[in-house]
Amino acid sequence: MKETFWEKNKRAICNLALVLVLLAAVIAIDLLAPTTSMWFSVLRKVFTFALAAVSMNLLNGFTGLFSLGQAGFMLLGAYTYAIFTIPVELRASVFRNYGASLIQFQMPIVPALLCAGIVAAVFAFLIGLPVLRLKSDYLAIATLGFAEIVRGLVQLQNFGPLTNGPDPINKFTAPEHIWIYALIAGTCILLIILIVNSTYGRAFKAIRDDEIAAEAMGINLASHKQLSFITSSFFCGIAGAMLAMCNSSVSSVSFTTSMTYQILLVVVIGGIGSISGSMIAAFIYYASSEWWLKFLDLETYTAAGARVPLLGPGFRMVVFSVLIMIVVLFFRTGIMGTREISVYDFFAKLFSKKGGAAK
Amino acid sequence: MSERPCVLHAENISMQFGGVLAVHDLTMDVYEHEVVALIGPNGAGKTTAFNAITGVYEPTNGAVWFCGEKIIENHPQGKMKKLYAGGHNGEYRHVIAKTPDRLTKLGMARTFQNIRLFKSMTVFDNVLTAKHLRRTSNLFTAALRLNYKEEARQRKETLELLELVGLADVKDELATSLPYGKQRKLEIARALATNPKLLLLDEPAAGMNPQETVELSEFIVEIRKKFDLTILLIEHHMNLVMDISDRIYVIDFGKEIAAGTPAEIQSNQRVIDAYLGVADDE
Ligand SMILES: Nc1ncnc2c1ncn2[C@@H]1O[C@H](COP(=O)(O)OP(=O)(O)OP(=O)(O)O)[C@@H](O)[C@H]1O
Ligand SMILES: [Mg+2]
């Protein structure tokens, strides 16, 4: 009985072990690294965008719906979270241009995060009905349009008492510890993994593989697409709230279409249809663009005092773009394709190879 | 025949694409436990008739009943009002268009002429996915694994079904990596997983060699008995059709040209002219 339990769950158990090791590493960094360390700002971003990418993957990769509304849903989540977590006594100073804040209470982090997800999900529900009838490119354009409309709307003076108009919102609760970010993203990604591997996940994949066959097997296309869209947007909203925490300030100008493209890039680099791929790609992408390649933006001088050519502001993005092109050219289906990381299979392969060599 | 309940009753079905009348006033009945074949030369409109019956297309005119319930009804609308070239115009006033998924839930399942398996999934998952429609779970209970009993039952049933059709040994392989004949079988197994009353097969023997075709006809007879099925099939392999059908409808240019038992069809001059003659030449 014991053996069958292990046999059945060995991959999950080994992956869980990996997650625990990583979590321990995050806590260790949190406790031991100097406060000036790049680890803090980079890891916060990595966790935020890992969640954004995985939730985009749920929709684009697993259900095959090419939506580009991520920035819009993240904006909704970020604003919701920020508005609900400003301490009551600070509201007057934040909303000084609009007299007072419409909302006069403060929520703890977890309910505020849930609200962020729910607001994004409600908007997804509303626009999903008309928009999800559209096919591929048209769906992408419609969702892109939605994101821009949302961005324009929150800046309106009329919504000032709620959204602070074009002025940024700040002074809301923004946790410092990176393990908090790891925990939020980890919990959400775990839920997405559970969904993808459930009967609903299979239905989503069926729709992606062949809509006509899926429908003929009794899967209602409209309701399942809607379900996937709402779920993905819910987690996107939470990722938006995390982004608000990272920046400790929310302003509609930062939720541009190029942010959606960044997330799309992470999904494509990681592998469309691979959750662990999205997470690995999020780490590589943000660690290199925000940290490892930062030196390229500095004007550097050799020991002899001559300026190193090319290095200077903006050069980082050139190198970065070239690297991305190389990755996409050499890994046609992203780093992971549609596979997932399996610690067990990795070690099993490693040991079987070694065993083979010994003989 | 007529004392048996009627599973499928299609009445004056017409399907017109622009100026092409692909199906023309087709009427057919399928009674419980029957195997009925729909045959005709290439391009006769057989697949289109299937699509109109299973909700993939809305027929231009006509109505369909399934187990006594009216599932489809339509009449020419919009531009079609002027263009419509079929008959029985004005006899059907309602518009009923159930989507394919609802018809599958009611107990109709089908396979496709050009195999449509879920290509990223294993053989096992292809069949398991077809059990999704009988779920009682919602997204929350499924994500939190509160439906583990149902899931376990579905997995057990899937395995049993795969053993029955002889695909258990390849259950963990990618569906599209199977040889052609097995893919066809898998498509039938997937349709069976939805617990149908009526199974519609669109050219199940296409691309099979004579040996495989004989096996397939035995297989169809076997599953019909085991699952208490009524079967409507399209097929070009005449041996298979004549072997296993109780009745046959022959269509040409979308219109019925003959109907009857295999013996009647084989000796029907119009059928020989339109279809069997052509087939012999090939
Ligand atoms: N969606 C469509 N739009 C326009 N014409 C169509 C469409 N579908 C089918 N047709 C036409 O309807 C006619 C019947 O096609 P159908 O596929 O039903 O034939 P079939 O009897 O299944 O032939 P086969 O034995 O080759 O499978 C053909 O002339 C085809 O070109
Ligand atoms: Mg056909």
Side-chain angles (χ1 to χ4, degrees), chain A residues 65-87:
Chain A
L65 294 170
F66 192 46
S67 152
L68 292 176
Q70 274 65 28
F73 294 113
M74 285 179 77
L75 179 149
L76 289 167
Y79 266 83
T80 308
Y81 173 83
I83 291 167
F84 282 153
T85 55
I86 303 170

Side-chain angles (χ1 to χ4, degrees), chain A residues 221-259:
Chain A
L221 295 183
S223 73
H224 281 82
K225 285 180 179 180
Q226 179 82 337
L227 197 60
S228 172
F229 191 51
I230 292 173
T231 312
S232 164
S233 303
F234 175 84
F235 290 114
C236 229
I238 293 181
M242 289 174 70
L243 188 62
M245 295 177 183
C246 283
N247 299 340
S248 34
S249 159
V250 174
S251 162
S252 60
V253 289
S254 51
F255 294 88
T256 54
T257 307
S258 76
M259 194 168 86

